[in-house]
Amino acid sequence: MTGETNDYVIEQFTLKKKHFKELSELITKAFLKDEAAQKEGASIVFTEETFNIMFGPPSINKQLFVRAKYKPTKEIVGFIGMIPRRLSVEDKEYDFCTPAWLAVHPEHQKQGLAKALGNKLMEIAIKAGYDGAFALHETEQHGKDVSKAIARDNRITLKRLVSINQFVIRVFDTAQLTKVVKIRWYENLFFRLKEKIGSVNNAQIRLFEKEDLPQIIRLMEELVQKCQIALVHDKKDIKWLLQNPQALCVVHEDENQKVDGFIFAWEFLLAGFGNKIPFGWLDIIHTDKLSNKEAKELANFLCKNAQERGWQGLQTPYIPYFLAKPFKKANFIFFPKKMTLDVFEYKEVPFPKEVESFYFNWR
């Protein structure tokens, strides 16, 4: 399936391992040349390992990807992927997807390629039978305007599902962070005061073992049932992710040696101003069954192991399905940052007028 726009061909393709390197480099070039990244840093360098974390899991339909080719050279200059998401809305499940990591080569931007890629992806998603899609937008970036244009072109409703008002960061080495992120002098001082990792004196805390998987799945299923809107995670994907060498998972056991809490993160490269440092993305957090003290120690144990791996810190948008207090006690910093989770409705889905509880992860 192809489309054309001036000197470009927009086409659906089947993603293969051989594409990972080229597409990783394309995404990195696009992200590092972003206007906000040029001013503030805090961008992402995509490696083949990062690309694999995003698009390697078993549930990914490798045929539902779109690229832009520049006809004179046949170079790949644009890309957008799709991540399938099973969505629970007040106990009823729907097939959703996430348009992921839209990127256009800096030398080919402002040619309408971002919108053309999004339109093609929406076309194949609707034909594949998805009920809708959702996307995370930062208010200061161009992505929201592109999404509005795509929705308008396809006569699809784009509605805000929830607003996210905070971002979380845990810094182990402020001097390293300043190489890739522009921070003010008082932020520098505050980060330095929060570098220390607290002690962990709890024999019930340890690293993930493969035998823990059924208990981790159970905890995730319980949280889905508690929330109005939630991602229903694919079990094979969770197994695949937890066993990935880029992943770090720490668990807490109850008195019967059953996992009653865990935190999962994966490694990526935080980049800016010509530099890059290893960092961790906090992906899934389950501490609702733990006391504040237990959750704080589990967070400290995560930090200890992340630092031993050479990560310089951790970060994630804050979705309040877990309590912030124990993480603040573990020197995680919560700061204001406006983001929205928006939904493309391909079919009518009865979302609640006010969302009181929701559960998402960020892979």
Side-chain angles (χ1 to χ4, degrees):
M1 299 167 65
T2 62
E4 295 197 9
T5 173
N6 300 322
D7 291 329
Y8 303 92
V9 176
I10 309 299
E11 62 181 9
Q12 182 179 353
F13 74 103
T14 299
L15 180 69
K16 296 180 180 179
K17 190 79 172 178
K18 67 181 182 180
H19 298 131
F20 284 18
K21 184 176 186 296
E22 180 182 18
L23 294 175
S24 298
E25 292 173 352
L26 170 63
I27 294 171
T28 295
K29 287 177 184 176
F31 278 39
L32 292 181
K33 287 294 185 179
D34 178 80
E35 184 177 348
Q38 293 280 303
K39 292 180 180 179
E40 304 293 333
S43 189
I44 294 178
V45 167
F46 245 69
T47 63
E48 291 183 63
E49 290 79 13
T50 310
F51 195 93
N52 189 45
I53 285 279
M54 295 297 139
F55 299 117
S59 73
I60 301 291
N61 186 337
K62 303 299 192 294
Q63 296 180 337
L64 304 184
F65 286 78
V66 178
R67 63 190 176 192
K69 277 186 178 179
Y70 184 50
K71 287 191 283 189
T73 63
K74 301 191 183 306
E75 178 187 4
I76 305 301
V77 298
F79 166 81
I80 187 169
M82 182 191 292
I83 300 175
R85 298 296 204 191
R86 191 77 176 153
L87 195 66
S88 172
V89 180
E90 297 187 323
D91 298 324
K92 186 174 180 180
E93 294 186 9
Y94 301 87
D95 287 319
F96 268 65
C97 60
T98 302
W101 303 101
L102 171 63
V104 176
H105 192 287
E107 295 178 3
H108 296 268
Q109 292 177 2
K110 298 183 179 180
Q111 304 292 324
L113 292 182
K115 189 175 76 164
L117 287 161
N119 280 334
K120 175 59 71 173
L121 190 72
M122 181 173 288
E123 174 191 323
I124 64 176
I126 291 172
K127 287 184 178 179
Y130 285 97
D131 297 306
F134 56 83
L136 182 70
H137 295 112
E138 296 185 32
T139 55
E140 68 271 20
Q141 292 187 340
H142 182 54
K144 185 64 175 285
D145 293 334
V146 174
S147 290
K148 286 180 178 178
I150 292 167
R152 186 169 56 248
D153 284 357
N154 292 276
R155 298 181 181 180
I156 294 290
T157 300
L158 177 66
K159 62 191 291 185
R160 179 177 300 181
L161 187 60
V162 292
S163 295
I164 298 165
N165 299 314
Q166 289 183 296
F167 205 82
V168 187
I169 190 168
R170 178 63 168 91
V171 181
F172 307 146
D173 189 331
T174 306
Q176 289 294 316
L177 182 69
T178 59
K179 293 180 179 180
V180 298
V181 181
K182 182 180 179 181
I183 61 176
R184 299 170 179 86
W185 68 267
Y186 54 87
E187 293 172 326
N188 189 312
L189 177 61
F190 186 62
F191 287 158
R192 288 179 186 276
L193 291 172
K194 293 287 186 177
E195 285 180 354
K196 184 179 179 181
I197 299 174
S199 60
V200 180
N201 299 305
N202 190 331
Q204 294 172 284
I205 292 175
R206 58 174 174 77
L207 292 172
F208 165 81
E209 298 173 357
K210 62 181 181 180
E211 293 77 14
D212 299 327
L213 182 62
Q215 297 159 45
I216 282 176
I217 295 294
R218 173 181 54 81
L219 289 174
M220 298 174 77
E221 290 175 343
E222 288 176 359
L223 193 54
V224 167
Q225 293 170 2
K226 291 179 182 178
C227 293
Q228 277 181 299
I229 300 175
L231 287 179
V232 182
H233 294 83
D234 185 283
K235 295 178 182 178
K236 291 180 180 179
D237 280 4
I238 296 301
K239 179 180 179 181
W240 184 92
L241 287 165
L242 287 169
Q243 294 177 350
N244 190 288
Q246 301 295 111
L248 172 60
C249 183
V250 298
V251 304
H252 182 280
E253 296 178 326
D254 63 18
E255 61 276 7
N256 298 314
Q257 297 184 315
K258 298 294 185 182
V259 174
D260 58 356
F262 72 94
I263 308 174
F264 168 70
W266 45 267
E267 182 178 351
F268 72 101
L269 292 176
L270 189 64
F273 315 123
N275 302 307
K276 55 189 177 184
I277 60 174
F279 229 70
W281 192 274
L282 277 172
D283 201 325
I284 308 174
I285 298 171
H286 280 260
T287 53
D288 55 299
K289 293 180 180 292
L290 307 182
S291 68
N292 283 338
K293 182 176 184 296
E294 290 168 337
K296 182 189 77 170
E297 289 192 317
L298 186 63
N300 282 335
F301 188 68
L302 174 76
C303 292
K304 176 178 177 292
N305 281 274
Q307 188 179 52
E308 288 175 355
R309 287 189 173 205
W311 300 3
Q312 303 301 327
L314 298 152
Q315 69 174 39
T316 189
Y318 177 56
I319 297 181
Y321 68 86
F322 64 94
L323 292 177
K325 183 177 180 179
F327 288 85
K328 291 179 179 179
K329 292 285 187 180
N331 285 337
F332 284 71
I333 299 166
F334 290 67
F335 62 91
K337 185 176 178 68
K338 294 288 186 182
M339 308 176 81
T340 60
L341 189 64
D342 301 299
V343 175
F344 297 91
E345 288 190 281
Y346 303 159
K347 302 175 185 177
E348 187 173 346
V349 177
F351 288 106
K353 291 183 179 180
E354 292 188 14
V355 179
E356 297 178 357
S357 59
F358 61 106
Y359 168 41
F360 285 82
N361 72 307
W362 295 108
R363 179 181 57 81

